[in-house]
Amino acid sequence: MTNEPPSIVTPNPPPEFLPANAFDFIPDLHALLLRVSREELELKDVDHESSHIRLKMEKARAMVANLPDVDRSLEEQKKEIRELEERIEKQRGMIKAVVEMQIVKDIIRRKGGME
């Protein structure tokens, strides 16, 4: 057995978030549908006029597909959440046990309490 402290596992850095405008195709789609319903746009021109909307949707779909863990099932995610919650509870218990140790109480008392 070594005297080295246990290694600290650092979590992966957080994923880059999707840009705020990643799903901004709804207003464009709404405007297109209004133009069609008001007969300001002929049906034969809808395909051409909607191409930029399709492009935005394809980009958004690709961004979502590249998010981490998107391929994991809901059950896998729930299991990981349960495991992490259990780990947190154990850590809280350990912290409470350390705080209750007499030597820690003495140190806190000597330092004038916790700030």
Side-chain angles (χ1 to χ4, degrees):
M1 181 172 230
T2 65
N3 290 334
E4 294 179 27
S7 64
I8 297 174
V9 177
T10 56
N12 294 332
E16 290 186 34
F17 291 101
L18 298 176
N21 64 352
F23 302 99
D24 279 353
F25 53 84
I26 301 289
D28 294 338
L29 180 60
H30 181 260
L32 179 68
L33 292 173
L34 277 178
R35 288 176 61 201
V36 170
S37 69
R38 293 177 182 160
E39 298 181 2
E40 297 170 2
L41 182 66
E42 293 187 29
L43 289 177
K44 65 180 178 72
D45 298 324
V46 170
D47 185 52
H48 175 72
E49 293 290 322
S50 65
S51 62
H52 73 283
I53 299 171
R54 278 195 308 277
L55 183 60
K56 283 184 177 182
M57 292 174 73
E58 288 171 14
K59 286 181 180 178
R61 191 176 302 125
M63 284 188 259
V64 169
N66 288 323
L67 288 173
D69 296 332
V70 76
D71 58 335
R72 293 177 55 207
S73 72
L74 183 60
E75 191 54 44
E76 289 173 316
Q77 294 176 43
K78 286 181 178 181
K79 180 182 177 203
E80 182 180 11
I81 290 169
R82 283 191 302 271
E83 291 169 354
L84 291 170
E85 287 171 341
E86 290 171 7
R87 184 174 169 194
I88 289 169
E89 284 306 311
K90 287 179 185 177
Q91 291 173 344
R92 285 182 177 152
M94 293 168 82
I95 291 170
K96 185 177 180 183
V98 169
V99 169
E100 294 298 320
M101 297 171 101
Q102 190 59 45
I103 191 167
V104 174
K105 288 180 180 180
D106 293 343
I107 292 169
I108 292 171
R109 189 173 42 253
R110 272 186 273 161
K111 298 231 181 212
M114 296 182 78
E115 297 178 15

